[in-house]
Amino acid sequence: MQSRSYLFLLLVLVLAGLSSWLFVAKDFKYGLDVRGGIRLTYQLQFKADQQNKADIQTKLVTALEKRAQGFGGTTEATVVKKGNDQVIVEIPGATNITEARTRMGTSARVYFYDAKNVSTPTSRRLYEAAPDNTDPNDPVVNFRRTVGDDTLIKPTIKDADGKLQMNPAYLDIIKGWGTEILSGDDLEKADSEPSGTGTYHPHMLFSATGSEKMSKWSNRYYDTGENLAYVMDNRVLNIAPLKNGARISSEAIIEGNFSTEYVKTLSDLLNAGSLPVDLKELSYESVDPTIGKTALSQIVTAGAIALGATGLFLLAYYAFPGFVAMIALLLYVLFTLSVMKAINATFSLAAIAGFILSVGMAVDANILVFERFKEEMKRGRTLTAAIDLGFRRALPAIVDSNACTILTSMVLASLGTGAVKGFATTLIIGVLVSLFTAVFVTRSLLMFFVNSGLVSNVKLFAVERNWFKKLEARADTEPLQVVEKWKRWFWISALTILVCVPFFFIGGFKQNVEFRGGFEFAYSAPADLTTAQIVAKLEKAGIKGANVKLGASQNAKVAYLTIPTEGVKNKATADVDVAQAAGFGAIHAQNSSFVGPTVQAETIRNAIMAVIFSSVLIIVYLALRFGFSLGGFVPGLRFGFSAVGALVHDVLVVIGSAAVVGYLMGWEISALFITAMLTVIGFSVHDTIVVFDRMRENLRRPDKHHDLGFVMDKSITQSFARSVNTSMTVVATLLILIVIGTPTPDLKFFCVAMVVGIASGTYSSIYNASPILYLWDKVVTKKDPKKGLIGLALDEMAKSRVVQTQVSTAQAPQVQSQETGRTYGQVRRRASAQEKGHIEIEDEP
């Protein structure tokens, strides 16, 4: 035992050294909400008969990566697939959302057409060109009819709601030209050529196939002045007659009023390659780096304070074991951050919040062990034996509770995107590392100090220190009366939910753009403007249904405006238009985002699926784990469904609280809120499992004089201190984040929802889950007492005795001693147990 502890300690020291090196050697990879940048989501517009869609998606990723690299000065742009028909583009450090959308969304497929229906210098036709030279960064050729209505025909027009859309009349003009002369596939290279007036013209070099096509056309229309039109994204960028005496073959110059920036951007796009399919923009997000840096500073400060507060609690309440746990906690921080650096994980604000939260949750395993250690010490064990038994008896609850947290986090990681996926990944890594540090690091350190003789004074272990000393002292005789008074607890739960119901009907339950679709803008707002004033100004400007949230950045007020899609007439100038309507002046938004109906529907669908999948996984896992020792899978389902029954209460309480704060603060549910709700589900089950695991342990040797209600009450009483201590550390961490570490309303709402959920989960794991299981058992025992949990436990105990007897008979030499009448095998087994210096765990509950 002693040598094994030293071996584990050596392993911990080696890992600490490697982690320290990795921590220093690699830099953090921050998310867009920290460092600023742009995120765009596109859907591929496949044709009905298009084949090899997976290959096309792969080619598209490559083309977009070429476009994104270097944009905004970044070399870390990423393009990833989402599903079978979407891609997500992230460009850290970029700030010009309009330019980014234009650059990434254009097909960059160029076409050269013979403009057959457009007048030339020598022939009058149905249309005539009317070049628009007002914006050299956005060149376009408009048209007029030569007969009848001479209204300017532009590429886009406004619909009945004032929104821009493609002009069908403009598209008909291009369709009238028939098949193109050549397309982007015939282009070999694009660059710029001086115009002689200080500007540049786009210069095209054609491939051999393209040269042949262009040469054939120019020879056919030699000296006729036929129009050659250059088209991209259904916009005619230039149209000009073929000059007399000119023959075009391998290259061409597009003349017009182009800015130098436009020519360079166009050349870069064409050289990066055209897209194999058209793209439909589903959503975009632009984040100002200033807000992100301020947020990072605040959340890191909050995390440091939370870590310090947790350490002080461990030292004050658990004394020397708390000191060891604090060392393990610091190693946990080092290991987790090193692992995340090693896998190149992204540290978004949500991920950092998840990591800080995981620090609070990591204490739970230590608390479980220390509470079990105290129990063993009170039973008269030695320090070594108590530490050993404390870890061994706490391990099943630690594994089961962490497994359920990992299951819900896996659901989040698979269904979520962006911040949600980052949070889930961080939590999974955190849980796995905390399992290692609690089980191996804390144990190895404690064993080292005790076995080496450095720490032998029992007083240093604060065995008698307990918030609920009197309560737990009578756990075996007069435990808390919980399950028998189930009606009282269910009424409290119902009233808690009913208090929130009115807020649903007065507009308290608000949804952000991820759920309702539309736009969200963040502006630096005047300090004297209130949410009511901003909403009134927007409504006066004709923008209905807007929601306003207030936050702060660098001691300045920040207004977050959620605008429905129908409230924006011009998507290109939406942020400035909304700012003017709100009374902020003609300013651009610091942060901006747009969510279309496709992403909106996907977000809602994933939220529902996440809750369902998490619940199913929890039911199955608990049924397997608890059913294994109590009659099989079907009886085990009682534990699973009872735990999920308590979860329903927690989910309703969290949703109800969302309606309350939505009414009072204007806060909206978002993907982060769903993340909070699923994390609460994991935490609530985490708490419930500890109670159920203690119940399972007590059922192994049930007292014939005690019914199931007494066993449950006893288990709840024994677990009470652990439940309160764990919840207290996590809630304290969240409160610190709320006060000083959550600069945005969404993050603050996330933490508030977590506080409410954890408080509710602590309550429901004690006062809902166990009574549900108790009532279910009463229904079962009415039909057949043997099918109740007590009956199943007695049956399992009888089977275990039979197996143990058979094993003993088969393995032990049955040589009878004439002096004692005992068998030799029995003497040796008992002597072996005494030699180990402690009572075997199998011999005593």
Side-chain angles (χ1 to χ4, degrees), residues 603-614:
T603 302
I604 296 173
R605 182 178 65 252
N606 286 351
I608 296 172
M609 290 172 61
V611 174
I612 294 174
F613 286 168
S614 297

Side-chain angles (χ1 to χ4, degrees), residues 412 420 423 509 514-515 603-604 606-608 610-611 654-655 669-681 749-750 753-754:
L412 275 174
V420 175
F423 173 87
F509 195 71
E514 294 167 294
F515 286 91
T603 302
I604 296 173
N606 286 351
I608 296 172
V611 174
V654 173
I655 292 176
I669 65 165
S670 63
L672 272 180
F673 173 80
I674 301 300
T675 302
M677 194 164 66
L678 289 177
T679 307
V680 165
I681 286 175
F749 188 16
F750 166 81
M754 286 290 298

Side-chain angles (χ1 to χ4, degrees), residues 502-567:
F503 291 91
F504 282 91
F505 298 98
I506 56 177
F509 195 71
K510 302 180 187 298
Q511 304 172 62
N512 82 334
V513 292
E514 294 167 294
F515 286 91
R516 66 186 292 192
F519 299 81
E520 183 174 272
F521 303 113
Y523 301 97
S524 179
D528 57 342
L529 274 180
T530 64
T531 57
Q533 290 172 331
I534 296 172
V535 170
K537 288 177 179 291
L538 291 171
E539 290 184 348
K540 186 177 180 180
I543 300 177
K544 308 291 185 182
N547 183 60
V548 179
K549 301 172 290 185
L550 296 178
S553 175
Q554 292 184 327
N555 299 320
K557 182 181 288 187
V558 178
Y560 296 85
L561 277 60
T562 303
I563 309 296
T565 306
E566 56 272 15

Side-chain angles (χ1 to χ4, degrees), residues 205-226:
L205 292 174
F206 305 128
S207 65
T209 304
S211 297
E212 183 179 349
K213 292 178 181 178
M214 184 57 74
S215 179
K216 183 177 180 181
W217 180 83
S218 64
N219 287 334
R220 179 180 179 183
Y221 293 101
Y222 183 73
D223 279 349
T224 63
E226 186 63 34

Side-chain angles (χ1 to χ4, degrees), residues 145 177 299 457 581 632 735:
R145 291 181 179 273
W177 299 342
I299 201 168
N457 190 343
L735 289 175

Side-chain angles (χ1 to χ4, degrees), residues 385-660:
I387 292 171
D388 183 36
L389 286 174
F391 275 93
R392 291 171 65 184
R393 287 181 168 166
L395 186 60
I398 293 172
V399 172
D400 289 343
S401 57
N402 284 323
C404 286
T405 301
I406 290 174
L407 287 176
T408 55
S409 297
M410 287 173 64
V411 172
L412 275 174
S414 61
L415 295 177
T417 58
V420 175
K421 189 179 290 290
F423 173 87
T425 302
T426 303
L427 202 56
I428 290 172
I429 294 171
V431 167
L432 291 174
V433 176
S434 70
L435 189 62
F436 171 78
T437 54
V439 174
F440 295 105
V441 176
T442 306
R443 187 179 190 280
S444 299
L445 287 173
L446 279 173
M447 285 296 192
F448 168 76
F449 283 115
V450 172
N451 290 332
S452 64
L454 293 174
V455 178
S456 57
N457 190 343
V458 177
K459 292 181 180 180
L460 293 175
F461 290 81
V463 174
E464 298 299 325
R465 195 169 297 167
N466 193 334
W467 308 116
F468 308 101
K469 183 186 295 185
K470 293 181 180 179
L471 177 66
E472 293 190 2
R474 53 189 179 88
D476 292 327
T477 55
E478 299 179 35
L480 285 169
Q481 297 293 301
V482 176
V483 295
E484 296 87 350
K485 299 180 179 180
W486 58 270
K487 291 182 180 180
R488 176 189 299 177
W489 316 126
F490 286 178
W491 269 114
I492 292 174
S493 296
L495 290 173
T496 304
I497 296 167
L498 288 173
V499 167
C500 302
V501 170
F503 291 91
F504 282 91
F505 298 98
I506 56 177
F509 195 71
K510 302 180 187 298
Q511 304 172 62
N512 82 334
V513 292
E514 294 167 294
F515 286 91
R516 66 186 292 192
F519 299 81
E520 183 174 272
F521 303 113
Y523 301 97
S524 179
D528 57 342
L529 274 180
T530 64
T531 57
Q533 290 172 331
I534 296 172
V535 170
K537 288 177 179 291
L538 291 171
E539 290 184 348
K540 186 177 180 180
I543 300 177
K544 308 291 185 182
N547 183 60
V548 179
K549 301 172 290 185
L550 296 178
S553 175
Q554 292 184 327
N555 299 320
K557 182 181 288 187
V558 178
Y560 296 85
L561 277 60
T562 303
I563 309 296
T565 306
E566 56 272 15
V568 172
K569 295 182 178 180
N570 189 342
K571 193 175 179 181
T573 61
D575 64 330
V576 176
D577 295 342
V578 170
Q580 288 182 311
F584 304 148
I587 61 174
H588 286 285
Q590 292 175 294
N591 292 357
S592 61
S593 62
F594 163 74
V595 174
T598 302
V599 175
Q600 172 198 8
E602 181 183 358
T603 302
I604 296 173
R605 182 178 65 252
N606 286 351
I608 296 172
M609 290 172 61
V611 174
I612 294 174
F613 286 168
S614 297
S615 300
V616 170
L617 288 172
I618 288 169
I619 290 171
V620 172
Y621 181 84
L622 294 185
L624 290 171
R625 288 291 289 137
F626 287 93
F628 180 76
S629 58
L630 286 171
F633 181 79
V634 175
L637 286 174
R638 301 178 203 173
F639 290 90
F641 278 107
S642 297
V644 171
L647 291 183
V648 173
H649 163 268
D650 301 332
V651 169
L652 291 176
V653 169
V654 173
I655 292 176
S657 69
V660 175

